[in-house]
Amino acid sequence: MIAGGDRPADTDQGDRQPWEIHLTVDAAADAATLLASASGLTKTRVKQVMQRGAVWWQQGDQVRRLRRAKRQVAAGEQLHLYYDARVLAMEPQAAILIADEGSYSVWNKPAGMLSQGSKWGDYATLTRYAEQHLTPERNAFLVHRLDRDARGLMVVAHTKSSARELSRQFQHREVTKIYRAQVSGRVPENSQSIELTEPLDGKPAQSQVTLLGYDQTLDCSWVSVNILTGRKHQVRRHLAGAGWPIMGDRRYGESRPEQTAGVDSEPPGLQLVAAELTLTDPQSAELRHYQLPADRVFHTK
C-alpha cells in the first residue's frame, strides 16, 4: 500500500514539488518493480533514483539505503522513496583527493557538492564520492561540514574508530581550520589579527581575520580567517556583521559577480575557501597539516 497520499502523476517530468512514497510489501518481489508500480515512475527512473540514494529499505526497526534494483523484498517489509527532482538532478564537479591516510582521507570539495546526504539522496555528496573513488573502496563517515557553496579542504573518515576520534577533535576545537575569503570593502591593515567575537545563535563565537591584500579598483579585500569556534556559517556571518560580506554570498551579504569575475580563474559564486587544516592522526597520534596548493586558492593583489 502507499502511505501518505495517492500515487503522484506525471512524476517522470521532474517538475513537481518533492514527494515521497511509503510502501508496505504485500508479496515478495524485487524492489524496482514494486516501486515502479507504486510510484508511476518508469523502472529505469526508479533504478536511477535508487543509485542516487533516495530509496530506503526497512526491515523491522532497521532502515538503510537500498541501491540494488533486483533486491528481493519480503512481505511485511517496507520501502520508502523520496523524490526531489532538484536533488536528483545535481551534478557537482569532481572532488580532488589531497591525501589518503588509510583510516581517513582529505579532499578538496568543489562548490556545489554537499557534505552529507539526506533521505532525498546522497549522490552529490563528498562522502558518497569518496566511497566510489578511493582505491581500495571504503565506507565514508562524515566528521565535519563545509557549506555547500564553499569549497576547500574536508576530512572524511573510513573506520568507525577514526570517525569517533576525528569528530571529537572537531567538537573540542582541537583542529585548526583556516579559510581564505574575498570580501567586499577594505579591511583595515593591522599588525595583529582582527578579533570578531559576536555571539552566534546565542553561543560564543570567535574568528581571527588577517588582511592578505586589497584591490582599490574592485574595492575588495582578500583575508585569512582562523575560526576558534565552529558555529553554523560562522565565517560568513562574522564577516558580514563586521561590514565585509563575502563576495557572492547571497544569504548574508551581497552578490557582485561582475567584480568576482575580475579574479583570476574564479567563477562567480561564494568566494570562500577552506585552505588549511591541522589535526592529529587518529592512529599514529602525529600532527598532520594539510594545505591547498597555491594555485587553488585566491590570488591576492
Side-chain angles (χ1 to χ4, degrees):
M1 70 176 186
I2 301 174
D6 296 329
R7 178 184 303 178
D10 300 324
T11 48
D12 272 341
Q13 302 303 315
D15 57 357
R16 296 178 58 89
Q17 292 297 314
W19 52 267
E20 56 195 72
I21 280 180
H22 307 282
L23 174 68
T24 299
V25 178
D26 294 325
D30 69 83
T33 299
L34 289 168
L35 287 171
S37 176
S39 68
L41 297 171
T42 65
K43 196 169 181 179
T44 297
R45 182 55 174 162
V46 168
K47 292 177 180 179
Q48 293 172 343
V49 173
M50 295 177 79
Q51 285 299 311
R52 300 210 164 198
V55 172
W56 298 75
W57 178 25
Q58 183 171 354
Q59 298 171 294
D61 295 332
Q62 293 187 341
V63 183
R64 56 177 180 256
R65 291 189 201 273
L66 179 59
R67 302 186 196 275
R68 287 184 55 197
K70 294 183 179 180
R71 168 69 69 181
Q72 291 293 305
V73 184
E77 296 176 346
Q78 293 183 313
L79 292 171
H80 309 278
L81 184 151
Y82 299 92
Y83 194 101
D84 186 329
R86 292 172 299 178
V87 173
L88 295 170
M90 290 176 62
E91 294 287 354
Q93 298 177 11
I96 298 173
L97 180 64
I98 301 297
D100 184 353
E101 307 292 6
S103 70
Y104 71 95
S105 55
V106 182
W107 298 80
N108 181 7
K109 182 191 83 69
M113 180 175 279
L114 299 168
S115 296
Q116 68 176 137
S118 67
K119 66 182 182 181
W120 303 97
D122 66 350
Y123 173 79
T125 66
L126 181 61
T127 47
R128 181 61 178 160
Y129 187 90
E131 289 179 339
Q132 293 179 310
H133 291 84
L134 281 174
T135 304
E137 293 186 0
R138 279 154 277 173
N139 290 330
F141 303 96
L142 185 77
V143 296
H144 71 120
R145 294 172 175 79
L146 184 63
D147 293 351
R148 170 183 170 178
D149 293 332
R151 59 185 178 87
L153 295 178
M154 273 195 68
V155 180
V156 176
H158 301 300
T159 67
K160 291 183 179 179
S161 60
S162 290
R164 285 192 297 269
E165 170 57 19
L166 289 169
S167 296
R168 186 198 65 78
Q169 291 183 35
F170 278 98
Q171 291 170 2
H172 287 79
R173 307 172 192 171
E174 296 175 6
V175 178
T176 300
K177 296 177 285 185
I178 298 179
Y179 295 78
R180 302 284 187 269
Q182 182 189 12
V183 302
S184 177
R186 184 163 196 161
V187 175
E189 294 186 23
N190 199 314
S191 59
Q192 297 180 337
S193 298
I194 300 170
E195 298 283 341
L196 302 180
T197 58
E198 178 186 2
L200 299 175
D201 301 322
K203 299 178 181 179
Q206 185 178 6
S207 302
Q208 297 175 335
V209 181
T210 302
L211 177 66
L212 300 176
Y214 173 71
D215 188 303
Q216 185 173 5
T217 302
L218 300 179
D219 186 29
C220 69
S221 301
W222 286 266
V223 297
S224 172
V225 185
N226 179 11
I227 61 170
L228 304 181
T229 52
R231 309 306 175 203
K232 184 177 181 180
H233 297 165
Q234 178 173 324
V235 177
R236 299 165 65 180
R237 295 165 73 183
H238 263 177
L239 288 172
W244 312 309
I246 298 176
M247 298 180 70
D249 191 343
R250 299 179 180 180
R251 181 166 184 173
Y252 297 106
E254 55 184 325
S255 179
R256 297 162 68 181
E258 74 283 354
Q259 292 191 2
T260 303
V263 183
D264 294 345
S265 303
E266 289 299 331
L270 181 69
Q271 300 302 290
L272 177 64
V273 183
E276 297 182 52
L277 276 175
T278 303
L279 53 81
T280 301
D281 187 303
Q283 290 192 321
S284 69
E286 295 178 355
L287 202 63
R288 303 285 190 187
H289 177 75
Y290 304 96
Q291 184 171 352
L292 283 181
D295 62 351
R296 298 190 184 278
V297 184
F298 302 122
H299 298 294
T300 58
K301 299 296 183 177

